[in-house]
């Protein structure tokens, strides 16, 4: 963590109790500056497409802090095309928390959450979100919209926030299996959700705007699949944060024109890279813990190791039909590998790990994610029986106190050594 | 028998298809199997469920996708090969709209699959007969509710025995009350439709979308106090507890169940205080005998303070670094790293293992002969420990830093060792060192001060797989050191005192915080130090054996690290594994030896 970020975090820590609105302004200014700086003069060797994505996500997070009561709080798997079509900003728990952690200010919000009775075993993304809201830093959203998958935490944290602020909440109940009955059940709920949004915001959905959002969705998905095809034979010097940013692009931001543009840029960037590989190629399962400094030192812009994909980004890449938006979005929900039992996720991860020529899989057990934790040994056995060495790595995506730091790095480095990675002096420089 | 655990399970339908439903809700003796196939941080009830399915050799299970842990358990059980039949009911979160139809189709699917498996067809008469004539009534007089997350049968009995008023089970699993099927409907489809509606009309658990009707539970006539339970690693009910503690005027005590058996001292104290200080105190009955329960007491409405201490990743809840005081020679050397000792060469290579507690260093001559090794305290910084090790090598072996041509650093402080030529993890180094010491070794168990690990070796001696302990100090040397402090003995004494045990005690937790509470309770219960230490040794052995299970460890096993000198732990671990352990003469030096061998490779 840089000294400037550290100092910023300490300042915020002191200001939050008495001046939450000042903190809100400071965070917005910091995100906006960082987004602009990364787009124009990045401090890291980012592809042009990634620089654009960093800018996009920082801008989106800033809009979430606008105190105009116009945003909708959503979970990462809620399809947001209707919101994009209506010009409503989705605020996603994981995005808010990642950015707070990036600014080194998450500790205070974790403390607030714990003090307010939130169990410390709960997913830290949601603990930080709750702390940020209950500290008065994140403004009151207009709506809360969430699906019941992919985790229990959605039910708990969003319900609590809805009660805390007395905010209208709509929940999309997602059955486990993709059947025609279930498709109708979910599609009907998505229609009902649209009516709910219209009722509570006074805005009217323009069907043509939704069709356009679906077209951008389809374009983005096609570009992302082209990117993955190019990734199979190319090395990309990248970092964990970059892969995590794609989670926003492949989920809640999907359907925006800017994301269609980003995906097209990404595919073009990859196509320009030379073919070849350097060192172990890892496929990552679950969130990427960019708070863990020793892990970042091992993985970010290493030159001899690369993360070739993440199951959050490959969860569902099926086509959508712009003429049937609700059925298409319902199908995306039901066929997501995160829906249903752990077998879906494991099989899908294996499929993409093979497709991307991964040498090994890192199965990241984010503290608080019971579904991931519970499936860890099954997944390891499944992958290894099929010839893919697997590291089950415990840690936390955004709580430094739970990130494991050195312990996680020992495991990962040993795993890399197992895959043939050489951590000699020449590579440590 | 078909195992079930959630109140939304259609047990009446299972019965009508010839099944014998078995409600699995008791605590487990340990989670050895569950941890080896799942994870120690999933819902403890689900861990107990997995454990029971294996221990009781059950062949059938009907699950509900009521939580993330249960969804995972389904995958684990389905792929374990232990069951002949398993079903996961997809329960809607919403009540109303199409959800009843969705659930009805799930019931039809279950009837088809289970009927086919049992070779039976739906029997409407049996179905009707499976419904109780009347649901279990609440006490007529004043009563105390056990609410929140489920409690095991033994914990409920324990609570009932210690409170002065009748106790009603209003937990998630305790509020199952269905009406009888209406007369005149015999068509299977129509019955399933009614049944789906009836199941969805149960008092909702916190997993359901609309939980507003749960408020009625806390306004029942005669309710005089609430013991609110949360299950460890289930978050659902902590949220309700938080709103309840802010809203209720009733006496409220929070406990946390971990579905493991523990002694009742702590629970007794909590419930006793609750009974004495709550409004129903004057009705308190006389003193009652303690029994067993499965709980971790947390906080009480009276104080309003959070008193639970849970281990969390990255937080080891331990004091400053210290030295494991282990008496040497207790377990004897079965192999000797000095077997290849020969003459000194002109130059040297070395390996340095910078651990959290000790720093170990091994020096080899340039021709590969073993010159010697040293062990020093690491102290506050890895670099300081390294400097001490160099000084000790100079003094003991007459070799100074300038004479070492290639140095490989390993251990937690490997990147902080000044001037090391290479940094390699202790996993790789332990594997290398162990196979060098004994060519038969296939699995290395290393229990150090801060962590424990199991490393599986491939035929060529390289690392096949490895697993390490959780992020807390559970089951490590640090854990034993802290327990020794609690027992007011040093680690050397502790390593042998447990060999003379008389009564077989079980300490369920190897979380340092929870285990310390258990040990304190046992001391207060006049248990002997030997019995308590034996219980601790078993707990460490259980944890380590679970790790070995995860690593698919196979004989021959070698144990390294300071805890290898603890005869009590070694004995229990040998029992758990059913194998003798190979113990090097200098078990702490294995990692440093591996590092030195790697240095030799690179130097050549």
């Amino acid at each position: 963590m840089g000294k400037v970020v550290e100092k910023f975090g300490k300042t915020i820590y002191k200001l939050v109790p008495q001046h939450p609105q000042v903190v809100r302004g400071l965070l917005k200014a910091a995100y906006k500056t960082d987004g602009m700086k990364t787009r124009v003069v990045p401090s890291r060797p980012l592809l042009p497409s990634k620089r654009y994505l960093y800018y996009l996500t920082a801008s989106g997070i800033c809009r979430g802090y606008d105190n105009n009561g116009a945003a909708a709080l959503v979970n990462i798997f809620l399809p947001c095309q209707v919101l994009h079509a209506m010009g409503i900003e989705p605020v996603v728990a994981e995005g808010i928390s990642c950015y707070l952690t990036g600014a080194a200010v998450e500790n205070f919000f974790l403390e607030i959450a714990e003090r307010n009775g939130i169990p410390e075993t709960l997913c830290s993304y949601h603990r930080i979100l709750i702390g940020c809201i209950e500290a008065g830093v994140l403004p009151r959203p207009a709506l809360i919209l969430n699906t019941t998958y992919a985790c229990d935490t959605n039910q708990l944290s969003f319900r609590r926030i809805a009660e805390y602020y007395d905010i209208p909440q709509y929940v999309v109940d997602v059955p486990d299996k993709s059947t025609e009955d279930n498709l109708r059940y979910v599609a009907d709920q998505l229609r009902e959700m649209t009516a709910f949004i219209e009722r509570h915001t006074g805005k009217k959905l323009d069907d043509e705007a939704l069709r356009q959002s679906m077209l951008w969705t389809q374009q983005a998905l096609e570009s992302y699949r082209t990117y993955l095809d190019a990734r199979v034979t190319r090395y990309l010097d990248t970092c964990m944060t970059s892969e995590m940013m794609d989670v926003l692009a492949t989920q809640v931001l999907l359907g925006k024109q800017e994301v269609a543009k980003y995906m097209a840029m990404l595919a073009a960037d990859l196509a320009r890279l030379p073919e070849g590989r350097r060192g172990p190629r890892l496929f990552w399962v679950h969130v990427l813990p960019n708070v863990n400094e020793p892990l970042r030192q091992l993985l970010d812009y290493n030159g001899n190791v690369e993360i070739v994909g993440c199951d959050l980004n490959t969860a569902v890449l099926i086509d959508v039909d712009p003429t049937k938006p609700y059925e298409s979005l319902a199908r995306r929900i039901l066929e997501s590998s995160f829906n249903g039992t752990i077998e879906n996720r494991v099989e899908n991860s294996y499929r993409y790990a093979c497709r991307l020529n991964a040498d090994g899989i890192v199965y990241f057990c984010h503290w608080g994610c019971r579904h991931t934790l519970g499936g860890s040994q099954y997944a390891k056995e499944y992958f290894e029986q099929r010839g893919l060495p697997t590291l089950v790595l415990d840690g936390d995506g955004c709580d430094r106190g739970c990130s494991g730091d050195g312990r996680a790095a020992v495991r990962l480095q040993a795993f890399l050594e197992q895959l043939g990675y050489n951590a000699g002096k020449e590579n440590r420089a | 028998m078909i195992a079930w655990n959630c109140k939304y399970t259609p047990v009446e339908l299972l019965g009508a298809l010839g099944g014998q439903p078995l409600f699995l809700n008791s605590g487990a003796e340990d989670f050895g199997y569950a941890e080896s196939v799942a994870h120690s941080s999933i819902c403890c009830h689900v861990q107990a469920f997995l454990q029971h399915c294996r221990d009781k050799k059950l062949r059938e299970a009907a699950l509900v996708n009521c939580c993330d842990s249960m969804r995972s358990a389904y995958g684990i059980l389905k792929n374990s090969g232990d069951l002949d039949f398993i079903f996961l009911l997809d329960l809607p979160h919403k009540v109303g709209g199409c959800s009843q139809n969705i659930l009805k189709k799930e019931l039809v699917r279950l009837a088809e699959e289970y009927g086919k498996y049992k070779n039976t067809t739906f029997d409407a008469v049996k179905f009707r007969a499976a419904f109780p004539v009347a649901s279990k009534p609440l006490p007529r007089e004043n009563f105390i509710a056990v609410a929140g997350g489920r409690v095991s049968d033994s914990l409920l009995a324990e609570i009932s025995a210690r409170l002065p008023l009748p106790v009603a089970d209003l937990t998630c699993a305790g509020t199952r009350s269905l009406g009888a099927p209406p007369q005149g409907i015999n068509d299977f489809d129509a019955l399933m439709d009614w049944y789906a509606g009836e199941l969805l009309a149960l008092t909702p658990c916190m997993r359901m979308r609309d939980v507003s009707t749960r408020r009625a539970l806390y306004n029942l006539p005669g309710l005089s106090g609430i013991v609110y339970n949360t299950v460890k690693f289930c978050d659902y009910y902590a949220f309700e507890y938080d709103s309840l503690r802010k809203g209720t005027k009733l006496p409220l005590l929070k406990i946390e169940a971990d579905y493991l058996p523990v002694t009742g001292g702590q629970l007794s104290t909590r419930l006793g205080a609750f009974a004495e200080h709550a409004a129903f105190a004057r009705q308190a009955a006389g003193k009652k005998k303690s029994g067993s329960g499965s709980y971790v007491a947390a906080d009480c409405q009276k104080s309003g303070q959070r008193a639970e201490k849970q281990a969390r990743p990255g937080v080891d809840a331990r004091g400053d670094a210290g030295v494991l005081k282990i008496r040497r020679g207790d377990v004897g050397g079965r192999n000797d790293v000095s077997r290849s000792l020969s003459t000194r060469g002109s130059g040297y290579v070395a390996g340095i293992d910078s651990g959290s507690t000790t720093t170990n260093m091994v020096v080899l001559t340039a021709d590969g002969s073993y010159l010697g090794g040293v062990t020093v305290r690491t102290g506050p910084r890895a670099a300081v420990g390294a400097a001490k090790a160099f000084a000790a090598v100079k003094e003991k072996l007459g070799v100074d830093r300038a004479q070492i041509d290639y140095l490989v650093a390993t251990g937690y402080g490997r990147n902080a060792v000044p001037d090391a030529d290479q940094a390699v993890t202790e996993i790789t180094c332990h594997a290398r060192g162990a196979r060098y010491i004994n060519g038969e070794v296939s699995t290395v168990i290393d229990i150090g001060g801060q962590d424990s690990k199991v490393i599986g070796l491939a035929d060529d001696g390289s690392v096949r797989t490895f697993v390490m302990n959780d992020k807390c100090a559970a089951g490590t040397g640090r854990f034993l050191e802290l327990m020794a402090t609690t027992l007011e003995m040093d680690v050397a004494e502790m390593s042998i005192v447990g060999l003379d045990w008389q009564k077989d005690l079980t300490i369920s937790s190897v979380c340092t915080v929870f285990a310390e509470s258990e040990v304190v309770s046992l001391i207060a219960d006049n248990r002997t130090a030997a019995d308590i230490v034996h219980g601790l040794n078993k707990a460490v052995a259980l944890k380590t054996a679970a790790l070995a299970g995860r690593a698919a460890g196979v004989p021959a096993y070698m144990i390294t690290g300071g805890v290898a000198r603890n005869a009590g732990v070694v004995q229990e671990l040998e029992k758990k594994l059913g194998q003798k352990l190979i113990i090097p003469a200098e078990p702490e030096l294995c990692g440093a030896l591996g590092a030195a061998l790697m240095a030799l490779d690179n130097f050549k």
Side-chain angles (χ1 to χ4, degrees):
Chain A
M1 187 195 310
K3 284 185 179 170
V4 174
V5 176
E6 198 173 346
K7 193 168 182 183
F8 180 75
K10 284 179 181 170
T11 305
I12 295 289
Y13 192 94
K14 286 178 193 164
L15 281 172
V16 171
Q18 302 300 327
H19 308 286
Q21 295 198 7
V22 174
V23 168
R24 185 185 301 167
L26 285 172
L27 286 171
K28 275 177 64 179
Y31 295 154
K32 194 172 181 182
T33 306
D34 189 56
M36 289 297 290
K37 182 176 167 294
T38 306
R39 188 178 188 184
V40 182
V41 278
S43 56
R44 294 142 289 187
L46 288 170
L47 295 174
S49 53
K50 291 290 181 182
R51 286 155 59 177
Y52 181 57
L53 178 64
Y54 276 48
Y55 166 74
L56 283 183
T57 53
S59 304
I61 295 289
C62 283
R63 286 194 291 277
Y65 282 94
D66 284 342
N67 190 20
N68 56 12
L73 182 61
V74 302
N75 69 313
I76 194 85
F77 288 106
L78 185 96
C80 290
Q81 283 79 356
V82 169
L83 292 175
H84 300 322
M86 294 173 82
I88 298 170
E89 189 66 32
V91 175
V92 61
E94 287 79 359
I96 292 291
S97 299
C98 276
Y99 268 81
L100 288 172
T101 306
V105 300
E106 82 283 7
N107 272 346
F108 185 79
F109 302 117
L110 286 166
E111 285 172 25
I112 292 265
E114 190 173 351
R115 203 183 308 158
N116 291 355
I118 305 301
E120 62 183 358
T121 52
L122 190 79
C123 168
S124 53
Y125 290 103
H126 286 256
R127 281 189 287 138
I128 292 171
L129 175 77
I130 291 170
C132 188
I133 285 183
E134 297 189 1
V137 173
L138 191 70
R140 181 189 189 280
L143 302 162
I144 295 178
L145 311 167
N146 66 280
T147 58
T148 52
Y149 95 112
C151 66
D152 295 342
T153 307
N154 289 330
Q155 332 282 343
L156 300 164
S157 61
F158 288 112
R159 180 159 60 203
R160 171 162 175 132
I161 294 166
E163 286 172 2
Y164 186 87
Y165 273 136
D166 191 21
I167 301 172
Q169 180 189 13
Y170 189 88
V171 177
V172 180
D173 183 15
V174 181
D176 272 359
K177 289 171 282 297
S178 181
T179 65
E180 286 309 306
D181 280 337
N182 290 346
L183 186 75
R184 273 194 298 279
Y185 180 53
V186 175
D188 286 350
Q189 289 181 79
L190 292 175
R191 286 190 183 88
E192 202 173 85
M193 183 180 84
T194 300
F196 177 87
I197 297 168
E198 288 179 334
R199 196 163 62 246
H200 287 282
T201 62
K203 294 186 175 183
K204 184 81 183 153
L205 174 67
D206 176 354
D207 289 340
E208 178 53 27
L210 179 57
R211 195 187 69 82
Q212 183 59 60
S213 180
M214 295 301 290
L215 277 172
W216 286 325
T217 299
Q218 179 62 19
Q219 286 171 16
L221 290 168
E222 286 171 7
S223 297
Y224 196 70
R225 291 194 298 246
T226 305
Y227 154 77
L228 291 175
D229 287 340
R231 197 82 174 81
V232 172
T233 53
R234 287 170 173 81
Y235 170 80
L236 175 59
D237 199 19
T238 186
C239 64
M240 289 196 284
T241 304
S242 173
E243 198 67 32
M244 196 65 188
M245 288 283 190
D246 275 352
V247 179
L248 297 175
T250 56
Q251 303 293 342
V252 286
L253 297 181
L254 201 58
K256 276 182 173 278
Q257 184 178 15
E258 294 87 343
V259 169
K261 179 183 168 186
Y262 157 68
M263 295 291 197
M265 288 171 71
L266 180 66
D269 281 346
L270 251 288
R272 279 192 289 272
L273 293 178
E275 294 205 337
R277 60 181 292 157
R278 294 188 228 162
R281 293 165 63 91
L282 301 176
F283 187 84
W284 198 276
V285 176
H286 210 37
V287 293
L288 295 110
N290 54 352
V291 294
N292 187 312
E293 287 298 330
L295 278 191
R296 289 181 63 162
Q297 285 168 22
L298 267 175
L299 292 173
D300 288 1
Y301 309 108
N302 176 295
N304 287 300
V305 179
E306 61 175 323
I307 296 168
V308 294
C310 168
D311 78 327
L312 279 159
N313 295 326
T314 56
V316 55
L317 296 173
I318 57 174
D319 286 330
V320 295
D321 179 354
T323 64
K324 294 179 180 172
Y326 296 107
E327 282 71 18
S328 292
L329 296 176
R331 194 172 295 286
R332 267 182 61 79
I333 289 175
L334 288 166
E335 295 192 6
S336 167
S337 62
F338 278 68
N339 189 33
T341 68
I342 192 69
E343 294 155 293
N344 298 344
R345 239 179 114 185
V346 170
E347 286 164 16
N348 190 62
S349 296
Y350 176 71
R351 194 160 49 244
Y352 276 100
C354 291
R355 182 179 163 190
L356 290 164
N357 269 335
D359 300 308
I361 293 181
V362 178
Y363 187 98
F364 186 69
C365 287
H366 169 63
W367 170 253
C369 182
R370 313 272 178 258
H371 191 230
T372 308
L373 266 58
S376 58
Q377 294 309 310
Y378 165 70
K380 184 176 168 66
E381 194 176 321
Y382 182 96
F383 297 142
E384 293 193 337
Q385 276 178 353
R386 288 159 181 78
L388 271 177
T390 301
L391 173 71
V392 174
L393 189 64
D394 286 355
D396 196 286
C398 62
D399 178 359
R400 285 186 173 83
C402 298
S403 68
D405 274 5
R407 288 165 179 264
V410 170
R411 289 161 164 86
L412 183 62
Q413 190 181 334
F415 182 63
L416 294 174
E417 287 165 3
Q418 194 182 331
L419 298 178
Y421 170 75
N422 181 358
K425 204 175 213 176
E426 64 278 15
N427 290 332
R428 287 189 293 137
Chain B
M1 284 187 290
I2 181 162
W4 66 284
N5 66 335
C6 170
K7 70 179 174 187
Y8 290 101
T9 310
V11 286
E12 294 79 8
L13 178 60
L14 296 171
L17 291 160
Q20 293 178 286
L22 173 67
F23 183 47
L24 269 192
N25 190 41
S26 51
E29 284 299 310
D30 61 65
F31 290 156
Y33 169 71
E35 283 191 20
S36 71
V37 296
H39 195 284
S40 57
S41 298
I42 66 165
C43 165
C44 285
H45 161 68
V46 173
Q47 291 192 61
F49 188 88
L50 286 169
Q51 196 72 38
H52 284 311
C53 282
R54 167 58 67 96
D55 293 347
K56 295 179 192 298
K57 296 183 168 49
L58 295 173
R59 309 298 302 175
E60 303 170 9
L63 313 182
V64 176
N65 61 350
C66 49
C67 69
D68 290 341
S69 295
M70 216 57 221
R71 281 198 294 152
S72 299
Y74 169 76
I76 292 164
L77 288 170
K78 184 181 169 193
N79 291 283
S80 68
D82 290 345
L83 302 181
D84 299 323
F85 177 83
I86 184 163
F87 188 89
L88 182 71
L89 185 86
D90 189 2
L91 177 71
H93 291 76
K94 289 183 175 176
V95 175
C98 295
S99 62
Q100 184 169 334
N101 187 47
I102 295 280
L103 181 56
K104 177 193 141 190
K105 294 207 167 176
E106 281 292 282
L107 297 173
V108 171
R109 185 171 69 91
L110 171 61
E112 285 171 359
E113 292 187 17
Y114 196 53
K116 188 177 174 188
Y117 165 74
K118 298 292 274 187
N119 199 22
T120 55
T121 51
F122 177 76
D123 184 330
V125 175
K126 274 190 183 172
F127 182 66
R128 286 179 182 280
F131 288 83
V133 177
S135 60
K136 192 178 171 185
L138 287 170
R140 289 185 179 181
E141 63 274 52
N142 290 347
F143 71 99
I144 293 167
V146 179
R150 60 177 64 238
V151 289
S152 64
D153 310 337
S154 57
L155 176 56
L156 185 63
E158 187 76 9
I159 294 168
S160 302
R162 291 182 187 281
L163 291 179
L165 296 179
V167 167
D169 181 1
L170 301 185
T171 63
C172 71
T175 50
R176 191 177 195 278
S177 176
L178 297 174
Q183 294 300 323
I185 301 179
N186 289 311
D187 171 63
F188 172 69
D189 216 47
L191 274 174
M192 290 305 105
D193 190 44
W194 166 83
Y195 193 29
E198 198 68 12
L199 286 168
L200 288 172
L202 287 170
T203 300
C205 69
M206 288 298 286
R207 178 259 196 202
M208 302 301 275
R209 165 71 185 109
D210 182 0
V211 293
S212 55
T213 54
R214 287 184 60 81
R215 290 187 196 120
L217 287 176
Y218 306 114
N219 291 312
L220 290 167
L223 181 62
S224 303
I226 302 166
V227 176
Y228 199 93
N229 180 56
T230 56
V231 178
K232 194 176 175 187
F233 296 123
C234 166
D235 296 319
Y236 275 120
Y237 289 91
F239 280 79
E240 187 184 48
Y241 170 73
D242 188 53
S243 62
L244 191 60
R245 98 186 145 88
K246 289 171 185 164
T248 186
K249 291 179 179 168
L250 290 169
L252 179 65
L253 171 73
K254 181 169 175 271
I255 60 172
E256 185 177 69
D258 65 4
Y259 272 78
L260 285 167
V262 293
T263 53
Q266 202 176 42
L267 181 62
S268 170
T269 304
R270 296 277 171 168
L271 292 173
F274 181 56
E276 285 163 13
H277 293 94
F280 48 77
R282 61 183 172 276
Q283 300 173 47
K287 200 175 177 182
K288 294 173 185 175
K289 193 181 172 186
S290 352
S292 65
S294 175
Y295 65 90
V296 175
D299 59 8
C300 177
Q301 176 77 34
K302 186 170 181 289
S303 67
Q305 294 175 331
R306 287 170 60 81
E308 75 262 50
K309 293 179 179 177
Q310 289 188 342
R312 56 186 248 178
V315 179
D316 284 350
R318 59 170 186 269
D320 294 335
V323 174
L324 284 171
K325 296 168 188 166
I326 298 171
R327 193 165 73 194
R328 297 186 175 207
D330 289 330
V331 291
R334 299 181 196 178
N335 290 276
D336 191 344
V337 294
S338 63
R339 65 187 167 93
S340 60
L341 182 63
S342 65
T343 56
R344 297 181 184 193
S346 54
Y348 304 97
V349 295
I352 185 164
D353 182 357
S354 174
S356 62
T357 306
T358 60
T359 298
N360 307 291
M361 190 165 169
V362 163
V363 180
L364 304 178
T365 61
D367 65 357
S369 299
Y370 180 81
L371 188 68
V374 298
T375 296
V376 297
R377 289 182 61 172
T378 297
R381 288 192 298 129
V384 173
K388 284 187 202 169
F390 285 124
V393 163
K394 170 79 173 165
E395 185 183 342
K396 183 177 172 185
L397 307 175
V399 175
D400 63 29
R401 177 65 186 91
Q403 292 173 273
I404 296 172
D405 292 315
Y406 205 95
L407 176 68
V408 169
T410 188
Y412 271 81
R414 64 189 179 282
N415 290 316
V417 174
D419 302 326
D421 297 287
Q422 193 179 0
V424 179
T425 65
E426 56 269 48
I427 311 289
T428 303
C429 291
H430 271 274
R432 183 72 191 275
R435 184 55 75 89
Y436 179 79
I437 293 167
N438 188 310
E440 301 299 314
V441 171
S442 290
T443 306
V444 183
I445 296 170
D446 177 61
I447 309 180
Q450 186 166 298
D451 66 20
S452 51
K453 58 186 88 69
V454 177
I455 307 162
L457 305 185
D459 289 342
D460 64 358
S462 61
V463 176
R464 174 178 55 79
T465 188
F466 70 92
V467 291
M468 294 174 79
N469 65 314
D470 298 331
K471 285 157 277 186
C472 63
T476 67
R478 182 78 68 207
F479 168 79
L480 289 168
E481 190 182 11
L482 284 167
M483 294 305 110
T485 304
T486 306
L487 289 162
E488 295 187 346
M489 61 175 71
D490 64 26
V491 178
E493 186 184 358
M494 191 183 183
S495 70
I496 52 168
V497 73
L499 296 170
D500 298 317
W501 60 277
Q502 298 296 319
K503 187 162 177 59
D504 192 6
L505 299 179
T506 294
I507 291 170
S508 310
S509 183
V510 279
C511 162
T512 46
V513 178
F514 293 152
E516 188 172 11
S517 298
E518 283 190 61
V519 168
V520 168
S521 292
L522 291 168
I523 292 170
D525 204 18
N526 275 330
R527 304 292 187 179
T528 68
D531 290 348
I532 296 172
V533 170
H534 175 242
L536 289 166
N537 291 342
K538 282 201 308 175
V540 172
L542 180 71
K543 192 86 181 167
T544 309
L547 273 186
R550 281 193 189 186
V554 291
Y557 291 92
M558 174 180 279
I559 183 167
T560 62
V563 177
R565 296 189 184 278
N566 185 315
V569 171
V570 168
Q571 189 179 71
E572 292 305 319
L573 188 53
E574 287 182 338
K575 277 188 205 166
K576 277 280 166 202
L577 295 172
Q579 294 288 328
K580 294 297 281 183
L581 297 173
I582 297 166
I583 306 168
E586 297 287 341
E588 305 92 329
L589 293 182
C590 187
L593 173 65
L597 291 166
M598 297 188 85
L600 188 64
D601 291 346
N602 289 325
F603 180 58
K604 283 175 178 172

